[in-house]
Amino acid sequence: MVHQLKYGLNKVKCLYFLEPGKSWEDGLKLLFDDNSVLEFSNCLKSVGEISIYVDHIGDENDKFTDVPLPKALFETIDESSNKHGKEITMDDTEDDLDMHDINLSSDEGNDELVGAREKVTKYVNDLVRLNIDDVGGSFPSQTRGTKDHSVESSRTHRMTDDGLDSDYIDSDDPGSYITTSDDSDADDARRVQSRRLSYNPSISNQGFFVGQIFRDSSQFRTALNDHSLEKRFSYKYKKNDASRVRAYCAANGCQWEILASIHGNDNSFRIKTYISEHSCLPTIYNKRVTSNVIASKLRDEISRMPYMKATDIRALARQKLGVMVNISKVRRAKLQVIKSIQEKYIEEFKILREYCDELCETNPGSSVKLEVDRSTTDSSPMFSRLYICFKSLKENFKEGCRPIIGLDGCFLKGLIKGQLLTAVARDGNDQMFPIAWAVISRQEDTDNWKWFLELLMNDLDIVDGIGLTIISDMQKGLMKAINDLLPFVEQRMCARHIYARWGKRFKDPELKLLFWICAKSPNQQEFLKHMECDIVDNNMCETFNGVILDARCKPIISMLEDIRVYVMRRLVKNKQFVNTWKNDYGPRILAKLEKSRVLASKWEVDWNGGIYHEVFYVNTIDNIRESYTVCLRNSTCTCRGWDINGVPCPHAFSAIIYEGGDPKDYLDDCYRRDNYLKAYKHMLHPVKGPMFWPKSNAELIVPPTRKKKHGRPQKERRREDDSQSSKRKEKKEAQHHVSVLNPKNQLTTSTKLKATFPQKTELSPRLRSATLASQTFNLSNKHIQIS
């Protein structure tokens, strides 16, 4: 503004403005801080025009002319608004603007006051000078796409609804001033420019404008590259060095151009010229998309799937980035990402001790067991296995979960191979409840399972397994470990995995149906003789392994943190979930009760006059009477369905309705709201970031060595027939399998090509049932219980 008034910087002493409607004695105010500038802008906005006075230092021969105020300062003010003030020039008021006419103090003989006044005057002069010199850049007055690209020489501000919007940080914010001189007695700290003009790499789709500030030329080039990917165009450089960068669109005839260079006042890197309009069409070819760009943009995808082929990465780049790249760039980008992943894996193993110490410190009473191996006495410690069980989880299991534990192991999918062992229980709503997990560097065997079970038994206070049910798959070494450590536990094998092996020989869909009918039968007559729980599969462990699938692709600490955060959030979510219950029982339990209600419609009830009821059904076709005995007092039924899961079976439901009772009152207490909340009574405590972890003086842990197998590495998982991949199914569509009887009346499976496939031999229902029972009892003779 002083530049527009054509005053020299060394001749400006003070700036004043006259409040509208007041005289010079009452309304003349000094412009010296943010509050006075804000008051000035509010007055200007309300009246449309205001008088400015300059106290200058000059000769008597200096002449001043009327100079209009810059329009950029008042660009939001309507030109047709009322004018309540009259602009007064310096010639009219030169005699009235003497500092002596303003009665600041009557104590002219006070030396201390005179010295303080001189310091204040020097401070105001320096502040005015600094505000003029240090305002750098301006907000773009033109929108993107305009053709006026010259840099404005005047230092402008924007007007907002709240008043003047400065280009500088508020004076009450930390870091809003920096010291400019040490010799000056005045407080001549210089204002720091606001970041609203600065480029923020964390915000996408920012766009460019004249005056935008970058940290250096490197950040500007990165932003330019991102902008070209977003707008789908290619560009070339006219000038490209540390002090300036000028680029233009590579398409012929396109006018798009940008220039950024170092700003003289503060050495910041700013956009000076920008033509934003494109006259070319979007393109999918961009030479500026190098291997480094591909690695930075697709790092997450490649990290999750490090064995992705180069052709797949190129297709991903076409989909995500919208460009076509050659295969050599993709290979270099993949190698770059793999190298960074390997470095991250190694770094996380180095701080693994500190992570374990942090878990023990933030969650007191938790069990964290870390073991390492040494090939020689002088070698570095190599990771072997790690066990984690938080105190809140084991206390919640003891107080509110059903005595059912599922054990399972799954492979890690990152660069460092190994396995993750998990123990999962069930809460009062039949939902999974993770208890403990462990990472082992070797494949699962009896030694690792014994180590895991011993720690789990110690945490859950399990002695010999009486009253506990364990469900597992056919894991290597697990059955022997259970028999050695838990001789009295009720062990169940996952029926789905049993069928996956049994179904290899008998692929008839009707045999599959009969198998699951037998597996679900709750009494001896329907096949299962010693069943203590209604769960016949290990889906709770399979579900947990599926939830942490992405975490299993990450380095060890990142994986463990993902698991911990998931469990912590799940505890909170399930605890809040109980607030949505309309009854004292969970929705999954009520769904089971509703199923019993539907099936109870065909049953009739006879009362013996005591505590028993005979529930029967008469098959009029075969003239067969099927009946069960129900005891409501003891909550038992001869079908054993009520005994097993604590939910009234259809027979018990009929007896309860016959007595006029409410079936909900006969649900087991383990399903009640109070017991459900006991499983979520104790919460996990948050864990601080790595910078706060306790430092360890022990030797750094190195990752386990990976033994390379002979031959081509396996790419796909070997699945059972019950869960084959679609690719394997397609390969087998050309073949058909049929179950036939050989001359010795034994059930066999034959495979024929489709062209020569014989007529399918049908088996009678009685023969199918007998064959299924024979095969099932053969499994029982091998000490395998089907559940």
Side-chain angles (χ1 to χ4, degrees):
M1 184 171 61
V2 178
H3 276 294
Q4 293 289 330
L5 294 174
K6 299 182 180 180
Y7 293 146
L9 297 181
N10 56 349
K11 296 183 179 182
V12 175
K13 192 173 183 180
C14 294
L15 288 175
Y16 302 88
F17 72 95
L18 183 61
E19 191 173 352
K22 294 186 179 181
S23 62
W24 293 339
E25 291 78 7
D26 299 334
L28 194 63
K29 295 187 178 182
L30 179 67
L31 283 169
F32 69 97
D33 60 359
D34 290 345
N35 293 329
S36 61
V37 173
L38 183 61
E39 183 181 0
F40 163 75
S41 62
N42 292 333
C43 293
L44 179 62
K45 184 178 179 181
S46 61
V47 300
E49 184 174 323
I50 200 168
S51 300
I52 300 294
Y53 301 92
V54 179
D55 185 7
H56 66 283
I57 303 174
D59 300 331
E60 296 180 356
N61 297 326
D62 291 340
K63 294 184 180 181
F64 303 92
T65 58
D66 293 345
V67 180
L69 295 178
K71 292 183 179 181
L73 180 62
F74 317 116
E75 56 183 2
T76 61
I77 297 178
D78 189 2
E79 294 292 340
S80 61
S81 61
N82 259 346
K83 305 293 188 298
H84 296 281
K86 180 182 179 182
E87 185 176 0
I88 304 176
T89 63
M90 291 300 301
D91 292 333
D92 299 331
T93 62
E94 182 177 356
D95 297 333
D96 298 325
L97 284 179
D98 192 2
M99 286 291 294
H100 298 287
D101 293 339
I102 303 174
N103 188 14
L104 298 176
S105 176
S106 61
D107 299 330
E108 295 296 340
N110 193 333
D111 296 337
E112 183 179 358
L113 183 59
V114 172
R117 185 181 300 158
E118 291 177 355
K119 289 184 178 181
V120 171
T121 305
K122 186 178 187 320
Y123 161 72
V124 173
N125 294 338
D126 292 342
L127 183 62
V128 172
R129 174 178 54 81
L130 291 172
N131 282 339
I132 295 171
D133 292 342
D134 298 330
V135 176
S138 61
F139 285 96
S141 58
Q142 71 274 12
T143 58
R144 291 182 57 189
T146 57
K147 298 290 184 68
D148 185 9
H149 315 291
S150 60
V151 181
E152 300 181 20
S153 59
S154 62
R155 314 302 187 182
T156 61
H157 300 271
R158 270 194 317 186
M159 294 294 296
T160 63
D161 295 337
D162 299 330
L164 187 63
D165 188 6
S166 174
D167 291 345
Y168 290 85
I169 300 177
D170 293 338
S171 58
D172 57 350
D173 289 342
S176 60
Y177 286 91
I178 57 175
T179 303
T180 57
S181 65
D182 297 331
D183 300 332
S184 176
D185 294 333
D187 185 10
D188 55 351
R190 185 174 58 174
R191 294 285 298 279
V192 177
Q193 191 153 11
S194 173
R195 293 185 178 181
R196 286 171 295 187
L197 291 174
S198 300
Y199 172 77
N200 189 353
S202 61
I203 301 177
S204 59
N205 303 331
Q206 292 186 74
F208 293 141
F209 55 84
V210 175
Q212 192 174 16
I213 303 173
F214 296 84
R215 184 180 64 253
D216 51 23
S217 60
S218 177
Q219 187 184 47
F220 173 73
R221 294 188 194 95
T222 303
L224 182 59
N225 212 342
D226 295 341
H227 183 73
S228 67
L229 287 174
E230 177 191 348
K231 299 300 181 182
R232 304 287 179 88
F233 72 95
S234 181
Y235 63 92
K236 295 181 180 180
Y237 289 117
K238 283 185 179 179
K239 296 290 183 180
N240 184 17
D241 52 43
S243 60
R244 59 178 175 174
V245 175
R246 182 186 291 272
Y248 63 96
C249 183
N252 293 330
C254 185
Q255 298 179 354
W256 184 92
E257 186 175 356
I258 190 169
L259 168 64
S261 62
I262 294 179
H263 191 65
N265 285 352
D266 54 4
N267 291 328
S268 61
F269 206 83
R270 306 189 183 192
I271 295 179
K272 302 299 182 62
T273 303
Y274 180 44
I275 303 176
S276 61
E277 289 184 347
H278 279 280
S279 59
C280 59
L281 296 177
T283 180
I284 60 174
Y285 299 99
N286 191 342
K287 293 183 178 180
R288 300 298 172 184
V289 182
T290 62
S291 60
N292 294 334
V293 176
I294 299 174
S296 62
K297 298 296 182 182
L298 303 180
R299 184 176 301 275
D300 294 339
E301 289 80 0
I302 300 175
S303 300
R304 285 195 297 265
M305 296 177 288
Y307 298 103
M308 189 190 308
K309 295 181 180 179
T311 53
D312 297 332
I313 299 178
R314 182 170 62 176
L316 187 63
R318 178 68 179 89
Q319 178 184 2
K320 296 286 186 180
L321 307 181
V323 293
M324 288 292 294
V325 293
N326 56 50
I327 201 69
S328 60
K329 285 184 181 180
V330 173
R331 290 195 181 101
R332 291 195 299 270
K334 180 181 177 181
L335 289 177
Q336 183 177 344
V337 175
I338 295 298
K339 185 178 180 180
S340 63
I341 294 175
Q342 291 175 343
E343 294 174 353
K344 186 175 181 181
Y345 271 78
I346 296 174
E347 290 300 322
E348 291 202 0
F349 273 104
K350 289 181 180 179
I351 60 175
L352 189 57
R353 295 185 192 272
E354 300 174 2
Y355 176 71
C356 295
D357 294 339
E358 174 66 16
L359 293 182
C360 295
E361 181 179 336
T362 55
N363 292 267
S366 301
S367 300
V368 181
K369 180 70 173 178
L370 174 63
E371 293 187 3
V372 296
D373 291 334
R374 294 179 185 268
S375 56
T376 62
T377 56
D378 299 334
S379 61
S380 300
M382 183 182 300
F383 173 80
S384 177
R385 49 195 182 186
L386 172 63
Y387 170 86
I388 297 176
C389 181
F390 290 99
K391 180 182 179 181
S392 58
L393 298 181
K394 51 188 178 184
E395 293 297 331
N396 290 339
F397 172 80
K398 296 175 186 178
E399 297 178 12
C401 289
R402 301 170 61 184
I404 304 168
I405 298 178
L407 300 177
D408 194 17
C410 56
F411 290 97
L412 304 182
K413 298 181 176 296
L415 296 180
I416 306 296
K417 299 302 179 182
Q419 283 193 296
L420 181 70
L421 309 182
T422 56
V424 183
R426 294 246 183 188
D427 61 10
N429 193 37
D430 246 6
Q431 296 173 299
M432 69 172 182
F433 185 89
I435 305 174
W437 49 89
V439 181
I440 58 176
S441 60
R442 302 185 301 272
Q443 291 186 354
E444 53 184 347
D445 52 16
T446 303
D447 177 64
N448 282 321
W449 276 116
K450 279 188 175 181
W451 171 78
F452 182 75
L453 285 177
E454 287 174 352
L455 295 174
L456 186 64
M457 291 169 59
N458 184 52
D459 287 333
L460 304 182
D461 299 333
I462 301 174
V463 181
D464 48 14
I466 296 179
L468 180 67
T469 300
I470 289 183
I471 303 177
S472 64
D473 304 338
M474 296 182 180
Q475 304 291 340
K476 297 179 182 179
L478 177 57
M479 297 181 63
K480 186 177 185 308
I482 294 176
N483 294 332
D484 293 344
L485 299 177
L486 301 168
F488 300 104
V489 75
E490 184 176 357
Q491 184 179 357
R492 295 292 165 192
M493 304 299 299
C494 179
R496 185 177 67 83
H497 288 78
I498 291 178
Y499 177 77
R501 291 164 174 77
W502 183 78
K504 291 180 180 179
R505 295 185 59 192
F506 309 105
K507 302 179 181 297
D508 197 318
E510 295 187 17
L511 293 181
K512 178 180 179 180
L513 178 62
L514 291 173
F515 173 88
W516 285 106
I517 292 177
C518 292
K520 291 284 187 179
S521 299
N523 54 67
Q524 181 179 7
Q525 288 71 18
E526 296 182 21
F527 181 67
L528 292 180
K529 184 176 181 180
H530 302 291
M531 192 173 186
E532 298 297 337
C533 71
D534 61 323
I535 302 172
V536 298
D537 53 37
N538 201 18
N539 283 343
M540 52 187 179
C541 285
E542 298 290 343
T543 302
F544 182 69
N545 294 340
V547 169
I548 61 175
L549 180 61
D550 291 340
R552 287 154 53 192
C553 302
K554 298 182 180 181
I556 182 167
I557 294 182
S558 301
M559 175 188 67
L560 294 175
E561 275 295 278
D562 284 358
I563 297 175
R564 181 191 63 82
V565 171
Y566 167 75
V567 174
M568 181 175 65
R569 291 175 178 173
R570 182 175 179 83
L571 293 179
V572 177
K573 180 181 178 181
N574 287 356
K575 186 175 182 179
Q576 296 174 345
F577 173 63
V578 76
N579 297 327
T580 64
W581 292 9
K582 299 180 180 179
N583 301 281
D584 286 338
Y585 301 93
R588 297 169 68 96
I589 306 304
L590 294 179
K592 291 184 178 182
L593 190 63
E594 177 65 18
K595 184 177 180 181
S596 297
R597 186 192 67 81
V598 174
L599 297 177
S601 59
K602 70 174 185 178
W603 296 96
E604 300 181 45
V605 182
D606 282 337
W607 179 41
N608 74 333
I611 61 173
Y612 295 102
H613 295 79
E614 181 179 343
V615 183
F616 65 92
Y617 165 71
V618 178
N619 188 344
T620 57
I621 298 177
D622 298 334
N623 197 21
I624 298 176
R625 178 186 173 94
E626 183 180 356
S627 63
Y628 295 88
T629 301
V630 177
C631 180
L632 298 182
R633 179 181 300 177
N634 299 330
S635 300
T636 59
C637 178
T638 53
C639 76
R640 298 190 71 244
W642 193 5
D643 310 52
I644 290 170
N645 58 19
V647 178
C649 60
H651 322 113
F653 197 99
S654 300
I656 294 171
I657 297 300
Y658 178 84
E659 291 292 338
D662 187 358
K664 296 178 183 177
D665 297 337
Y666 292 86
L667 289 169
D668 194 87
D669 290 339
C670 69
Y671 300 126
R672 296 185 65 86
R673 181 194 300 262
D674 298 339
N675 288 326
Y676 174 85
L677 288 175
K678 290 180 181 179
Y680 300 96
K681 179 180 179 182
H682 307 281
M683 297 288 107
L684 291 182
H685 296 289
V687 175
K688 300 185 292 292
M691 63 180 300
F692 300 103
W693 293 352
K695 302 303 179 183
S696 176
N697 297 326
E699 294 184 73
L700 300 179
I701 299 177
V702 298
T705 57
R706 180 183 175 186
K707 295 181 180 179
K708 187 176 181 180
K709 298 180 180 180
H710 297 288
R712 174 172 290 186
Q714 180 181 342
K715 298 294 184 182
E716 295 182 1
R717 170 187 171 190
R718 294 193 182 115
R719 300 176 181 267
E720 303 294 347
D721 287 356
D722 191 42
S723 58
Q724 294 183 56
S725 62
S726 59
K727 186 178 294 186
R728 292 185 61 188
K729 285 185 178 180
E730 292 176 358
K731 291 181 180 179
K732 293 190 176 183
E733 282 182 355
Q735 297 180 348
H736 292 260
H737 304 275
V738 60
S739 300
V740 298
L741 289 175
N742 58 15
K744 295 183 180 181
N745 290 334
Q746 295 176 346
L747 191 64
T748 60
T749 302
S750 63
T751 302
K752 299 291 184 181
L753 295 177
K754 186 175 182 180
T756 59
F757 186 69
Q759 185 70 23
K760 183 176 180 180
T761 304
E762 295 289 341
L763 298 178
S764 64
R766 180 176 300 176
L767 181 58
R768 285 200 184 95
S769 301
T771 305
L772 176 62
S774 174
Q775 295 294 330
T776 310
F777 280 113
N778 287 337
L779 292 176
S780 299
N781 293 334
K782 296 180 182 180
H783 306 287
I784 298 178
Q785 294 179 330
I786 301 179
S787 56

